[in-house]
Amino acid sequence: MPKLEGLDYYRRQTRPTNPFIWLAAIFCAILTVVVIVTGVVVFVGYIVIRPKVPFISVTSSHLDKIYYTEAGELTTQITIVVRAENDNAKAHASFSDMDFTLRFDGIVVAQLVNDAFDVKKNTSVDFNYVVESSPIPLDEQAMALMDMSLKQNRITFGLKGNARARWKVGLLGSVKFWCHLNCQLSFFPSNGSSTYSYCSSRSKK
Ligand SMILES: *[C@@H]1O[C@H](CO)[C@@H](O)[C@H](O)[C@H]1NC(C)=O
Ligand SMILES: *[C@@H]1O[C@H](CO)[C@@H](O)[C@H](O)[C@H]1NC(C)=O
């Protein structure tokens, strides 16, 4: 190949630009503008709407009944109020696949499930779960813990699970995410009242 030098080299390099290169350049420019405009719209939308993430919490609970036999069988009834809260003045929220498990020392006491439901703007929805267990045989470790709990007048159940939240933020579209709930519900067995401790899917432990 002959070596190109001086003006000859310059001419070769400045021949008319291929139309495909032009198309690509225009396409890139348009894409850049679209990305910037989308960013501005989302940002302004965020500032105007000020979205607050919907969440689930346990607002109250009560130990209605607790029977514990010599043979180590536990029967209990617990009322749990679960609240789904949407603090947004401009965005609807909906929840689905709500599924929580109540456990004592890792042993499943009951399952709490719910159908899908909507939570309108700036409102909350409460669900009153009256959880009644069938007699549950406890293992040795759980029996020891139960004996101690009753003696010390303080019993703790774990409530853990997820709900799928869908959040419709006007023009910005909808966002889906999981709410994780992981609560310790403690009660005084003597009168059934709970030792209140707030628990929500927002708080990180
Ligand atoms: C949302 O609800 C709260 C109390 O429930 C109320 O004080 C507030 O004004 C409401 N906001 C809107 C925008 O409706
Ligand atoms: C239940 O019992 C506990 C401890 O005995 C006590 O601190 C609490 O105030 C009682 N609650 C009610 C509602 O009586």
Side-chain angles (χ1 to χ4, degrees), residues 153 188 190-193:
N153 193 28
F188 298 113
S190 59
N191 57 15
S193 62

Side-chain angles (χ1 to χ4, degrees), residues 86-90 121-123:
N86 177 17
D87 287 338
N88 293 286
K90 293 192 175 72
K121 298 167 186 172
N122 201 29
T123 58

Side-chain angles (χ1 to χ4, degrees), residues 6 16 27 31-32 41 44 57 66 69 90 94 107 125 127 130 136 139 151 159 162 172 181-182 187 192 203:
F27 179 75
L31 197 66
T32 307
V41 166
V44 170
S57 59
I66 181 159
T69 64
K90 293 192 175 72
S94 59
I107 296 169
V125 178
F127 292 97
V130 180
I136 298 156
D139 59 22
K151 209 174 286 168
L159 181 69
N162 304 306
L172 309 184
L181 200 63
N182 189 0
F187 305 95
S203 59

Side-chain angles (χ1 to χ4, degrees), residues 113-179:
V113 293
N114 211 317
D115 292 336
F117 59 93
D118 282 337
V119 184
K120 294 204 186 90
K121 298 167 186 172
N122 201 29
T123 58
S124 64
V125 178
D126 282 358
F127 292 97
N128 230 53
Y129 287 102
V130 180
V131 180
E132 201 168 359
S133 79
S134 48
I136 298 156
L138 300 183
D139 59 22
E140 245 171 64
Q141 188 192 320
M143 282 165 75
L145 183 63
M146 179 61 75
D147 286 336
M148 201 176 76
S149 303
L150 295 177
K151 209 174 286 168
Q152 296 181 346
N153 193 28
R154 178 74 70 96
I155 187 165
T156 302
F157 293 87
L159 181 69
K160 196 172 173 181
N162 304 306
R164 200 164 164 68
R166 185 155 169 258
W167 191 26
K168 283 161 271 180
V169 189
L171 290 172
L172 309 184
S174 76
V175 184
K176 285 180 190 167
F177 59 94
W178 286 97
C179 291

Side-chain angles (χ1 to χ4, degrees), residues 63-130:
L63 180 68
D64 305 326
K65 286 179 210 158
I66 181 159
Y67 301 123
Y68 178 58
T69 64
E70 292 281 321
E73 275 192 341
L74 168 70
T75 311
T76 184
Q77 182 184 309
I78 301 177
T79 301
I80 302 171
V81 181
V82 175
R83 174 172 293 174
E85 193 161 340
N86 177 17
D87 287 338
N88 293 286
K90 293 192 175 72
H92 279 274
S94 59
F95 291 87
S96 61
D97 303 293
M98 206 152 133
D99 188 353
F100 304 121
T101 308
L102 185 74
R103 288 188 169 87
F104 175 74
D105 193 36
I107 296 169
V108 175
V109 173
Q111 197 92 9
L112 290 69
V113 293
N114 211 317
D115 292 336
F117 59 93
D118 282 337
V119 184
K120 294 204 186 90
K121 298 167 186 172
N122 201 29
T123 58
S124 64
V125 178
D126 282 358
F127 292 97
N128 230 53
Y129 287 102
V130 180

